[in-house]
Amino acid sequence: MKLLQIVSSSRISGAEKHVVVLSNRLLRRGHEVLTVCPRGNWLPGQLREASVPLWEHNIRGLYAVQCLAAVLRYVRANRIDLIHTHLTKATYIGYVIGRLTGLPVVTSLHTRTTDLVYRRLLPGPNNRIITVSNFLREMLIRQGIPASMLTTIYNGTEFFESEQHASSPASKEPSSGSAPDLPIRAELSLPKDAELIGLFGHVDEQKGHPLLVQAARAIVDRRPRAYFVFIGQAEPRMQRMLWEMASADGIADRLRYTGIRNDIPRLMDEMDVVTVPSQIESFGMVIIEAMARRKAVVAARVGGIPELITHGETGVLVDRNPAELANALVALLDNPEERNRLGRQGFEHARSHFSAETMAQNIEALYGSMLERDRFAGGARP
């Protein structure tokens, strides 16, 4: 198949990581893939590292019209079979090109939305929406989107693979400013016997960093060697707020920030526990990444997270309050055997359900069914 992917963000988050992994897998499976994305930032470098053909184009404001025209010319000249979009601006571009060419369009929906393009424009016989969880699928059905338009395909991770580096471009090199030759604890100026609780993702309220800091005093009181490592972009305002909260509880020295990193598997391997205390998650990519690294996960019982974790078997689910979060984390720090058990069972579950290859196979099958339906209907290309 000749496939065109369009994504309207190049920063580092779940959707962009998904584009790298999916593009890489589709190429391995023998398809031709071109990915269109905004210039600069994180994504273009990762796509080049994965040897994915890409086209960088500004998609902001009026530049989106120029992008649409350029992509339309490319689609017509290269006889593309199917367009796959990620994020809302890209979906508008894909929708218009689909209408003008008769091409089928599939869009991956990575988070909650009520945008017009999903509710009113995209639904039609040629198009499909991939939801990353049944939680998200049910939300769209309640908005009036026909269930026949929606297919849940869980995201997949490559973090299982040999020594984490060989096949996952997004995991290859430490970011600038890190010290790859130093052990993580030394790099972060931590004692060798420090117990590390890792929270991966953009440092903000939505990802639950304030909740973890609220729980930190109770954790440190019971586990005096506990430290909290925040891996992801942190705005100065948020760092200051968290520092003030921690200072008021006398545990400011227990917080560490790494900034954006591309050696996530290496960092995960050093955590004693990974926690995901988010306010809401449509999927929770970091959960399956942690499972793939055999790490016990403590996560909030919100959104699509319960679809990933079976409480007490493949991880621990908690309500979003500081006391319950603290108790769950302390219980796992107290019990290495339980951490190892959850890590092993989480790994087996993720390998069976959330591998990059399983995801690519499921998406490829959807492409095939859409193209077969299109051919059966006699779809003509203007």
Side-chain angles (χ1 to χ4, degrees):
M1 285 181 268
K2 290 187 174 182
L3 305 168
L4 175 69
Q5 291 199 100
I6 310 172
V7 57
S8 45
S9 167
S10 286
R11 68 187 184 92
I12 182 171
S13 70
E16 294 82 355
K17 288 182 179 180
H18 171 75
V19 168
V20 176
V21 173
L22 177 60
S23 300
N24 188 18
R25 287 287 161 165
L26 291 171
L27 285 173
R28 289 196 206 181
R29 297 178 69 81
H31 303 292
E32 295 183 33
V33 181
L34 174 72
T35 298
V36 178
C37 67
R39 292 189 177 95
N41 220 320
W42 178 86
L43 182 58
Q46 297 301 309
L47 291 169
R48 291 191 186 94
E49 190 70 30
S51 300
V52 176
L54 76 149
W55 188 359
E56 294 179 75
H57 203 294
N58 195 336
I59 303 179
R60 287 179 176 270
L62 292 177
Y63 289 110
V65 178
Q66 296 178 5
C67 179
L68 190 156
V71 173
L72 178 60
R73 289 193 296 271
Y74 177 88
V75 165
R76 285 176 164 161
N78 291 273
R79 299 192 63 82
I80 295 297
D81 293 310
L82 181 144
I83 300 168
H84 189 161
T85 70
H86 308 264
L87 306 176
T88 299
K89 289 180 182 178
T91 301
Y92 275 102
I93 292 171
Y95 162 75
V96 172
I97 294 173
R99 287 297 300 268
L100 293 174
T101 63
L103 283 175
V105 177
V106 59
T107 185
S108 285
L109 196 54
H110 299 271
T111 188
R112 296 174 299 162
T113 182
T114 59
D115 196 274
L116 176 70
V117 72
Y118 305 104
R119 292 185 293 109
R120 298 296 182 194
L121 301 181
L122 196 65
N126 281 5
N127 304 331
R128 292 293 180 273
I129 298 173
I130 294 173
T131 53
V132 296
S133 64
N134 287 322
F135 162 78
L136 200 53
R137 182 176 186 273
E138 293 302 316
M139 183 173 291
L140 295 182
I141 290 173
R142 289 195 296 272
Q143 293 179 24
I145 298 175
S148 59
M149 275 283 301
L150 305 170
T151 301
T152 295
I153 299 178
Y154 293 122
N155 285 339
T157 180
E158 293 183 326
F159 280 18
F160 305 95
E161 298 192 5
S162 59
E163 297 306 315
Q164 73 233 22
H165 297 313
S167 300
S168 184
S171 312
K172 279 198 169 183
E173 298 295 335
S175 59
S176 60
S178 66
D181 294 327
L182 282 176
I184 293 297
R185 284 166 175 76
E187 179 187 333
L188 298 177
S189 301
L190 295 171
K192 290 182 179 180
D193 63 351
E195 295 178 330
L196 304 188
I197 297 169
L199 204 173
F200 293 75
H202 194 278
V203 180
D204 60 16
E205 290 94 340
Q206 192 271 325
K207 291 295 181 183
H209 293 78
L211 181 65
L212 181 57
V213 172
Q214 290 170 16
R217 177 74 264 174
I219 295 169
V220 171
D221 285 346
R222 295 156 66 186
R223 302 296 302 184
R225 293 183 289 115
Y227 288 80
F228 307 89
V229 184
F230 299 156
I231 302 94
Q233 182 177 351
E235 303 297 335
R237 177 194 64 81
M238 178 56 60
Q239 278 192 259
R240 183 166 56 253
M241 187 190 86
L242 296 176
W243 182 83
E244 290 172 353
M245 291 172 59
S247 294
D249 285 338
I251 46 92
D253 63 317
R254 300 307 179 104
L255 307 187
R256 295 292 188 276
Y257 300 86
T258 72
I260 296 173
R261 297 286 289 253
N262 290 329
D263 57 341
I264 298 302
R266 173 175 174 257
L267 285 156
M268 276 189 174
D269 287 349
E270 294 302 315
M271 299 300 121
D272 292 283
V273 184
V274 171
T275 188
V276 185
S278 303
Q279 292 178 352
I280 193 67
E281 289 284 354
S282 296
F283 180 73
M285 189 71 186
V286 70
I287 293 172
I288 65 170
E289 292 174 342
M291 286 177 169
R293 305 312 300 174
R294 292 182 169 85
K295 291 298 164 181
V297 180
V298 175
R301 192 182 283 106
V302 297
I305 289 178
E307 297 177 44
L308 311 182
I309 292 176
T310 300
H311 178 65
E313 295 182 18
T314 58
V316 176
L317 295 173
V318 297
D319 291 333
R320 292 195 78 256
N321 67 74
E324 187 165 346
L325 180 61
N327 288 338
L329 290 168
V330 168
L332 289 182
L333 293 176
D334 284 344
N335 192 336
E337 292 79 11
E338 179 67 0
R339 291 204 308 271
N340 291 336
R341 182 185 72 84
L342 292 174
R344 287 193 306 271
Q345 294 181 180
F347 173 84
E348 294 300 334
H349 181 62
R351 186 166 62 176
S352 298
H353 296 85
F354 307 121
S355 72
E357 188 63 15
T358 296
M359 175 193 71
Q361 288 173 0
N362 291 336
I363 291 177
E364 182 185 59
L366 177 63
Y367 291 165
S369 68
M370 292 173 68
L371 291 173
E372 183 63 28
R373 186 182 303 109
D374 190 49
R375 282 191 291 268
F376 182 76
R381 302 286 181 258

